[in-house]
Amino acid sequence: MRLDALVAETIAAINTARFTPALMRLLNAICHYDNAVVLGYGAGKHPVYLYDSLETSRHLLFQDYLMNKFQQDPFYNQLLIRQEGVFNLAKLIQKNVHHEYLRQFYVQTGWKDELCITINLDHERNILIFLGITEAGENFTTTHIEHLTSKFSVIKALCQQHWRHATFSLSQSLHEISISRMTMRRYIDESLEVFAQTLLTKREQQVASLLVQGADSSEIAKQLGLSIGTIKNYRKRIYTQ
């Protein structure tokens, strides 16, 4: 499909559950990738899962990255200083080849190279689109980055139109897991239901699942009918475990 047709398809999908898959088809036409993850970030909150095309190691996303490893991600640091654009992981960490994030988490994902498109929706909300290559010996080139950068204004405008006035939430019709035929929404719900069940109490699991979905302490307290102090105590134990 021609690039202009893909842009038109993405525009037509704004404010529908079709938007993120359409956006990813557009990005894949601009710069081929193997895997992708899209997260929403609100000021002072955990990232919110919006989309992924992962075929393996999805548990690393839900049980590690979204819980705490995101704070070590070099791309997250770009977010904190409100810098937007297209960034290459290798360049961000070239001065620190022993970066803890790479040694303790990233190597488990199987990704060999990564680009991140960072978009500021407004003064406190952001979208991060992670594009990964999993084939050994392959990597993103300067040309790939230039192609994405040249289309950044279009990508940003599309994301702003879709998410600027909407609450970050999971799409209901993204992707099906071929073996079990579960929708992504059901997969996430079931993953969170058994999250750390050997380490956490049922209530702690509830708090942990809401944290992974981007809720802050006050939102969790309201939803569970508990005090903010109680939620903070739960959070301390969850992080310790």
Side-chain angles (χ1 to χ4, degrees):
M1 188 180 292
R2 289 168 51 115
L3 200 61
D4 55 353
L6 289 169
V7 171
E9 176 187 67
T10 308
I11 292 173
I14 288 173
N15 296 327
T16 75
R18 304 188 311 275
F19 176 78
T20 311
L23 176 65
M24 301 318 295
R25 286 192 290 274
L26 171 61
L27 292 178
N28 203 30
I30 299 172
C31 173
H32 176 71
Y33 59 84
D34 296 321
N35 284 325
V37 174
V38 182
L39 302 177
Y41 288 79
K45 297 184 178 181
H46 274 61
V48 179
Y49 168 90
L50 299 174
Y51 171 92
D52 84 84
S53 63
L54 301 175
E55 296 181 357
T56 61
S57 303
R58 186 176 279 113
H59 67 283
L60 293 174
L61 173 61
F62 292 111
Q63 298 188 9
D64 291 317
Y65 187 89
L66 291 175
M67 279 301 295
N68 55 39
K69 289 295 191 297
F70 74 91
Q71 298 176 81
Q72 301 171 12
D73 189 342
F75 293 129
Y76 181 66
N77 294 327
Q78 298 299 118
L79 176 69
L80 293 178
I81 61 176
R82 302 292 295 168
Q83 187 171 359
E84 61 179 0
V86 181
F87 302 97
N88 179 261
L89 180 64
K91 290 188 176 181
L92 287 182
I93 62 165
Q94 60 185 352
K95 294 182 180 180
N96 187 3
V97 295
H98 300 296
H99 196 287
E100 181 181 1
Y101 179 73
L102 290 186
R103 290 186 293 104
Q104 296 187 3
F105 173 76
Y106 194 78
V107 67
Q108 301 178 63
T109 68
W111 287 26
K112 308 304 180 185
D113 198 9
E114 184 177 6
L115 293 180
C116 181
I117 305 172
T118 304
I119 297 168
N120 299 336
L121 297 178
D122 50 42
H123 68 283
E124 61 179 19
R125 297 201 311 155
N126 309 270
I127 292 290
L128 265 62
I129 303 172
F130 303 90
L131 306 178
I133 286 179
T134 58
E135 290 294 325
E138 297 293 324
N139 63 280
F140 290 113
T141 66
T142 300
T143 301
H144 289 135
I145 298 174
E146 290 175 349
H147 283 171
L148 282 172
T149 301
S150 70
K151 300 295 187 296
F152 178 77
S153 59
V154 173
I155 298 167
K156 177 177 179 177
L158 289 168
C159 290
Q160 286 182 324
Q161 287 298 312
H162 180 70
W163 277 301
R164 176 176 281 173
H165 302 297
T167 301
F168 288 145
S169 61
L170 304 175
S171 175
Q172 298 297 309
S173 59
L174 292 179
H175 172 85
E176 288 194 348
I177 302 172
S178 58
I179 297 178
S180 63
R181 297 183 180 275
M182 293 188 299
T183 63
M184 180 62 72
R185 174 73 257 185
R186 180 181 168 195
Y187 177 86
I188 294 167
D189 288 341
E190 293 190 358
S191 294
L192 294 176
E193 185 177 346
V194 299
F195 175 74
Q197 60 181 355
T198 60
L199 297 175
L200 305 179
T201 66
K202 190 65 177 179
R203 179 65 85 183
E204 288 165 349
Q205 283 180 267
Q206 291 177 321
V207 173
S209 70
L210 291 170
L211 284 172
V212 169
Q213 295 174 76
D216 60 25
S217 293
S218 60
E219 292 167 334
I220 296 172
K222 182 176 181 181
Q223 184 163 333
L224 298 182
L226 301 171
S227 70
I228 293 179
T230 298
I231 297 302
K232 289 181 177 179
N233 288 333
Y234 278 132
R235 291 182 65 163
K236 288 178 182 178
R237 173 169 160 72
I238 289 167
Y239 292 138
T240 298
Q241 292 300 94

